Amino acid sequence: MRFRSTRPEAALQPAPALPETMRAVVFDAPGSAEVLRVADVAVPTPVLSEVLVRVIAAGVNPIDAKTRAGRGMSAAIDAWPAVPGFDVSGVVVRTPFDAHPFPVGTEVYGMAAFPRTPGTSAEYAVVPTLSLARKPASLSHVEAAAVPLAALTAWGLVVETALAHQWQRILIHAGSGGVGHFAVQFAAYFGAHVIATGSTRNLEWLRELGAAEVVDYTATRFEDVVHDVDVVIDLIGDVSDDTGTRSLEVLRPGGLLIEVPTGAWPGFREAAAARGIRSTDYKTIPDGGALATIARLLDSGAVRVYVEHVFDLADAADAHVELERGHTRGKIVLCVSDD
């Protein structure tokens, strides 16, 4: 079981007094990054199995920017102003019952259920128990906050969908991004022959992460040098240089195309089927059990996380602007608290 036994004396620690309000990044309607502002809002109330976490750091992901801009999950927002954010690393301050597996004071990381609940770009966040794991001991909270959504997505793509194994050839587009840099590492860890596309500055770094071959997309058409691939993990789609469509040319008959960005290539299923190629899309599953496994890989040094930019909570708009430039190596994180 992924939950550790809880000593009664640990479970019965008195919960700290909490404020009624907190600082949070909010937006009142979809728009550009400038719609983000910091405001005082009510501290959310956990219900059922939810845990209240004092947020120390919060990851910033492409889905955050898409939702803020009116795409992504914006249609599911039913109350304004909205607090964005999925990734969290922090400390448990309220549990649903005394003998909860994450007692008050436990350092955890995981994913909030935004937009069903307020997001993690705030001083406190409610998180479902099953979307949490203990923070990797070797990582700071800033580093840990960069892991959950990106690593869980990569884990689902590489381990649960592609079934990565020795001798398998996997092409990963955008290998140096948040999801990509975890996907490269997971695929290499399970023995696959990894081919990653990236920009010139990231080629050597991709090799360090475990890529057996790298393709500089700024200088080479990947279909000219890559052939007979078993799986393509497409983190780009047809929104940039028809990356998805061109990927069909490098897959072997019966190979698998995993198309990740929602709406980036609406006709991928039909196009793949016409070429005798299997295909699927993918959505992240906030699985605390998988996060616990990933934590062990991180603590062992088998996998590492890279954070390129750290912004203060008040500078969330700048973080979104940087993210939308589209060339981040690894992840962007908001620092919410100094401890």
Side-chain angles (χ1 to χ4, degrees):
M1 294 181 66
R2 73 179 177 90
F3 291 149
R4 302 176 185 176
S5 299
T6 303
R7 299 191 305 272
E9 60 269 26
L12 296 177
Q13 289 182 26
L18 298 176
E20 294 182 357
T21 62
M22 64 179 183
R23 289 189 312 138
V25 175
V26 302
F27 61 115
D28 300 292
S32 65
E34 286 68 30
V35 301
L36 297 175
R37 60 186 177 87
V38 175
D40 289 332
V41 301
V43 172
T45 301
V47 298
L48 299 175
S49 66
E50 291 174 341
V51 172
L52 185 64
V53 176
R54 181 171 65 84
V55 180
I56 297 178
V60 181
N61 295 285
I63 188 61
D64 300 327
K66 291 178 181 178
T67 300
R68 184 222 71 229
R71 304 187 305 278
M73 298 186 177
S74 62
I77 298 175
D78 58 8
W80 302 92
V83 179
F86 291 92
D87 286 338
V88 63
S89 183
V91 179
V92 173
V93 293
R94 285 286 187 277
T95 60
F97 53 90
D98 290 341
H100 191 270
F102 303 126
V104 169
T106 304
E107 293 185 320
V108 293
Y109 77 143
M111 283 181 62
F114 175 77
R116 303 300 185 192
T117 60
T120 59
S121 298
E123 292 179 317
Y124 295 90
V126 292
V127 185
T129 292
L130 294 180
S131 300
L132 279 175
R134 292 173 184 265
K135 181 184 77 67
S138 62
L139 300 189
S140 67
H141 281 286
V142 166
E143 292 169 324
V147 174
L149 190 150
L152 284 172
T153 303
W155 186 266
L157 294 169
V158 171
V159 181
E160 298 174 353
T161 306
L163 305 177
H165 57 271
Q166 194 171 17
W167 312 122
Q168 187 181 40
R169 289 169 56 81
I170 299 180
L171 170 62
I172 300 172
H173 289 307
S176 59
V179 174
H181 86 294
F182 282 117
V184 168
Q185 293 178 85
F186 291 153
Y189 179 83
F190 284 99
H193 180 94
V194 180
I195 308 163
T197 63
S199 62
T200 307
R201 81 173 182 114
N202 289 319
L203 299 184
E204 186 56 38
W205 184 61
L206 286 168
R207 292 189 183 95
E208 292 174 5
L209 293 180
E213 300 179 46
V214 294
V215 179
D216 184 348
Y217 71 84
T218 68
T220 304
R221 305 288 283 182
F222 64 83
E223 65 270 29
D224 292 339
V225 295
V226 178
H227 307 284
D228 296 319
V229 168
D230 296 296
V231 180
V232 170
I233 296 175
D234 181 14
L235 300 169
I236 300 174
D238 270 6
V239 295
S240 178
D241 201 19
D242 293 331
T243 298
T245 297
R246 291 161 52 212
S247 295
L248 297 179
E249 300 179 28
V250 307
L251 277 157
R252 65 168 176 79
L256 175 63
L257 170 70
I258 310 176
E259 191 64 24
V260 182
T262 301
W265 182 15
F268 77 90
R269 293 177 180 85
E270 295 78 10
R275 301 282 291 266
I277 291 168
R278 296 172 296 138
S279 66
T280 183
D281 55 357
Y282 184 80
K283 297 291 183 293
T284 308
I285 300 173
D287 180 358
L291 271 180
T293 299
I294 292 166
R296 290 193 288 273
L297 290 173
L298 288 161
D299 281 338
S300 73
V303 173
R304 55 195 172 107
V305 59
Y306 184 83
V307 179
E308 183 163 43
H309 301 289
V310 180
F311 292 84
D312 289 336
L313 184 70
D315 297 321
D318 294 335
H320 277 229
V321 169
E322 182 63 41
L323 179 72
E324 290 177 310
R325 290 194 176 113
H327 298 289
T328 300
R329 174 188 284 188
K331 291 295 298 295
I332 295 174
V333 174
L334 296 179
C335 183
V336 180
S337 171
D338 292 334
D339 57 349

